[in-house]
Amino acid sequence: MKTRSDSYDYIVAGAGAAGCALAARLAENPAARVLLLEAGGAGRSPFISMPAGNGFIFGNPAYDWGLVSVPQPGLNGRCVSYPRGKALGGSTIMNGMIYIRGNRCDFDDWSARGLHGWSYAEVLPYFRRSEGSGHRKDDWHGSDGPLRTCAAANYTALDRLFVSAGVQAGFALNEDFNGISQNGVGRVDVTVAGGRRQSAARAWLAGRPSNLRVRTGARITKVEITGGRARAVHIATQGGAERIEAGREIILSLGSFGSPQVLMLSGVGPAAHLREHHLDIHADVPGVGGNLADHINMPMQFRCLDPELSFARYQRLDRALWLGARWFLARSGPGAAPFWSTCLFDAHAGAGRPDTQVFFTPMVVKEALDDGDADDSTLLERLGRRILVRGSRKAVSGFQFDINQMHPEGRGELRLASSDPLHAPRIDPRCFSGEREMRVLVEAVRRARELAAQAAFDGIRGEEISPGAGCGSDADISAAIRRLATTGHHPVGTCRMGTAADTDAVVDAELRVRGIAGLRVCDASVFPDQITGNPNAAITMIAEKAADMILGRPLLPPATLPAENTL
């Protein structure tokens, strides 16, 4: 093993949403030497930059870790696939680009747990500092931040019908889900600028200063701890193993699966579990790997009677080539934006924090030979779908509601499957281990059907493809959910923040790992609880705030908020 002769003040492990932002902010201190480590590559694929290019990244082992859960009894024994980004930018190279901060109540609840400094008024300034909104100029948003956002551009006729149907069903029209209110239906903001995906790498690492070094192909295998302090990281590269020392701090930003895994490999975690794998114990921290919370997603699919309204039309080869050519030549057209542009937040009780988030997709993707059907696609469609949806799947004229249950009661866990650091961890989300999840989703399926039945969809609404109109009773809907539900791709909480009295907390309110000096965690794993919406913006906010805490800079003053809580 080599020990590098150069030294760094701060080593940030993981170049995802948190790691890129944190490393860039730490390097604002010109006297600090910062090293950012990424196990994947540089992420130069044009399909990372292309907002509609997700299909080329998901499942591609060059860019996707391709993690899989253990079989889930709550899903009829099915395993859950967890795509995770493997390149500079982390999972921001493949996420849906939807910019949702969460609900005001989420962060006020964090503060109420005793995590002072994390109320919504205190974190809003960090949301604003990170954001570079190209279209919103008000007190809720920032216009100068590195993470550029805009209104979702693929706001098609079918998306407008979805919004109209939501209003007809009694939901408020919401023009800003990150503003005064979160409930309602409307167009979302996305992390896209100039027709390009704004991954964390694009946002934070372009034009980086000389005191920030970025290394790719460097997989951290453990943190070296002596005398109760984190001293160095061990990494595996193509050239072998290396040891790199940190003079001040090591910060793990490896995500909700990677950070707890490395902590346990380093001897920080549940002592009994570490002994099972013959690992030295530096700190018995029972909460490492626990508290795994995710949004469970239930997809519902409907046929669209007007094929020219659905994005399925782009699966034909000539149209797929046209879509790609417009983006490659001018960064314009449908390929320059995500395929989804609208969502609905629904508080089932009629007020307060939403129970579900419904994403609308103006296309349905299904297996080409579902239900024993012959593949009736034309030659142009068969060739084109290899570009648009890939594999044996095909797009059909339709629209899809993806219903995400926001606040699961059940909690999963992550454990080591092996003491080999290159072995994937054992992920058990324990889907439907809480009582509330199924109850909320069954009701949400019924509410989604009411939404689809609104007059806005008259004339273009076809049959309910899945789960099917014949699925009517609570028992039938529950069975369909167990058969069809999957992850919302938002795992959080496996190194959660907590007070000294919280025995399951892994880090304190300043993200310092319990029992180990010079070691912090900064990513989605520190969330004390699941938030209401997509977590990417909140992860970036945490990194912004962490940088000030680590550098000892004064924290930004709290924002002044309306007296009434209308979120």
Side-chain angles (χ1 to χ4, degrees):
M1 178 181 294
K2 296 184 295 184
T3 299
R4 297 193 65 83
S5 58
D6 52 353
S7 62
Y8 297 89
D9 296 299
Y10 303 104
I11 297 177
V12 180
C20 288
L22 178 60
R25 290 301 191 193
L26 291 176
E28 289 179 346
N29 176 1
R33 296 201 65 208
V34 183
L35 174 65
L36 176 61
L37 298 172
E38 168 56 39
R44 294 193 175 95
S45 168
F47 295 107
I48 290 175
S49 293
M50 182 182 188
N54 302 60
F56 290 88
I57 305 303
F58 273 85
N60 185 334
Y63 304 110
D64 182 358
W65 288 107
L67 300 178
V68 180
S69 79
V70 299
Q72 295 297 292
L75 299 179
N76 298 339
R78 291 185 293 121
C79 297
V80 177
S81 295
Y82 283 104
R84 298 280 96 187
K86 184 169 63 171
L88 287 180
S91 292
T92 68
I93 70 170
M94 65 195 316
N95 68 2
M97 294 158 281
I98 296 174
Y99 184 80
I100 298 286
R101 295 173 177 171
N103 191 280
R104 176 183 188 170
C105 298
D106 298 333
F107 304 102
D108 287 344
D109 282 353
W110 293 9
S111 180
R113 289 171 176 249
L115 296 169
H116 304 301
W118 293 98
S119 70
Y120 188 67
E122 291 165 306
V123 301
L124 178 57
Y126 289 99
F127 279 117
R128 292 192 301 220
R129 189 170 80 178
S130 67
E131 184 187 14
S133 175
H135 66 299
R136 298 195 187 278
K137 310 296 180 185
D138 57 40
D139 291 341
W140 300 99
H141 294 274
S143 58
D144 301 323
L147 185 60
R148 299 170 66 190
T149 64
C150 68
N154 277 328
Y155 189 47
T156 68
L158 197 50
D159 294 290
R160 291 182 173 88
L161 293 180
F162 171 73
V163 172
S164 296
V167 172
Q168 290 170 355
F171 296 98
L173 177 63
N174 193 331
E175 297 183 350
D176 183 6
F177 293 112
N178 300 305
I180 187 67
S181 175
Q182 190 181 36
N183 285 312
V185 62
R187 186 179 182 181
V188 298
D189 288 353
V190 294
T191 52
V192 173
R196 294 176 182 265
R197 169 192 290 270
Q198 296 298 291
S199 71
R202 181 176 294 279
W204 297 94
L205 300 183
R208 55 185 177 267
S210 60
N211 63 327
L212 170 58
R213 185 181 181 195
V214 178
R215 289 190 64 186
T216 57
R219 184 168 182 176
I220 184 168
T221 57
K222 76 170 186 177
V223 176
E224 182 182 309
I225 299 170
T226 57
R229 183 175 186 85
R231 307 285 182 179
V233 296
H234 292 225
I235 62 173
T237 69
Q238 287 187 342
E242 295 181 23
R243 175 183 178 273
I244 309 174
E245 293 184 354
R248 295 186 182 179
E249 293 198 32
I250 296 167
I251 305 100
L252 299 181
S253 296
L254 298 160
S256 289
F257 300 141
S259 287
Q261 181 185 19
V262 168
L263 281 178
M264 288 187 278
L265 290 169
S266 307
V268 179
H273 179 62
L274 301 187
R275 291 190 191 99
E276 290 174 6
H277 292 281
H278 310 290
L279 294 165
D280 294 334
I281 301 169
H282 293 286
D284 180 8
V285 185
V288 173
N291 196 49
L292 173 59
D294 195 4
H295 292 141
I296 299 178
N297 174 59
M298 173 57 185
M300 293 189 69
Q301 300 174 337
F302 298 84
R303 199 169 295 278
C304 177
L305 299 180
D306 185 348
E308 292 305 309
L309 292 180
S310 171
F311 275 159
R313 65 189 185 274
Y314 294 119
Q315 99 181 310
R316 211 175 72 183
L317 179 60
D318 55 340
R319 292 178 175 179
L321 292 174
W322 172 85
L323 181 153
R326 286 193 65 186
W327 185 81
F328 277 100
L329 294 173
R331 302 293 185 261
S332 64
F339 278 170
W340 38 89
S341 65
T342 55
C343 81
L344 182 152
F345 280 99
D346 184 1
H348 291 197
R353 184 163 30 189
D355 300 287
T356 55
Q357 180 182 12
V358 182
F359 301 98
F360 181 76
T361 306
M363 177 175 67
V364 166
V365 177
K366 62 194 290 285
E367 291 301 316
L369 301 180
D370 269 355
D371 304 320
D373 294 339
D375 187 355
D376 58 356
S377 306
T378 66
L379 176 61
L380 283 177
E381 288 175 335
R382 288 198 300 273
L383 293 172
R385 75 175 183 232
R386 293 182 180 274
I387 297 175
L388 183 65
V389 296
R390 305 180 75 201
S392 64
R393 298 182 300 166
K394 68 175 182 179
V396 300
S397 179
F399 52 89
Q400 179 162 316
F401 300 160
D402 281 292
I403 308 166
N404 278 219
Q405 198 271 339
M406 289 286 96
H407 301 289
E409 288 181 340
R411 292 291 183 270
E413 70 172 15
L414 179 138
R415 290 291 180 258
L416 297 177
S418 167
S419 59
D420 181 352
L422 304 185
H423 197 290
R426 182 182 185 276
I427 303 169
D428 185 1
R430 295 176 182 166
C431 298
F432 297 112
S433 57
E435 296 182 2
R436 187 170 184 270
E437 290 88 333
M438 183 61 73
R439 185 172 66 250
V440 168
L441 280 176
V442 168
E443 181 183 353
V445 166
R446 297 190 185 283
R447 293 166 77 89
R449 284 174 170 161
E450 293 174 3
L451 182 65
Q454 296 301 314
F457 287 120
D458 287 354
I460 61 98
R461 179 201 318 105
E463 65 177 322
E464 182 181 314
I465 301 172
S466 178
C471 179
S473 68
D474 285 358
D476 287 343
I477 295 173
S478 295
I481 290 171
R482 295 189 189 279
R483 176 169 52 88
L484 298 169
T486 183
T487 173
H489 303 290
H490 302 152
V492 305
T494 50
C495 299
R496 83 176 191 207
M497 276 193 283
T499 64
D502 182 353
T503 57
D504 285 329
V506 177
V507 299
D508 65 12
E510 294 192 17
L511 312 184
R512 296 172 295 200
V513 174
R514 174 171 284 175
I516 304 295
L519 182 61
R520 301 193 203 219
V521 178
C522 177
D523 54 35
S525 71
V526 306
F527 285 24
D529 208 345
Q530 185 58 275
I531 66 169
T532 313
N534 310 64
N536 181 59
I539 296 168
T540 305
M541 172 276 293
I542 287 173
E544 285 271 18
K545 188 175 176 69
D548 282 355
M549 294 189 293
I550 293 169
L551 293 174
R553 297 191 297 208
L555 298 182
L556 298 179
T560 301
L561 300 174
E564 69 277 7
N565 185 348
T566 59
L567 295 179

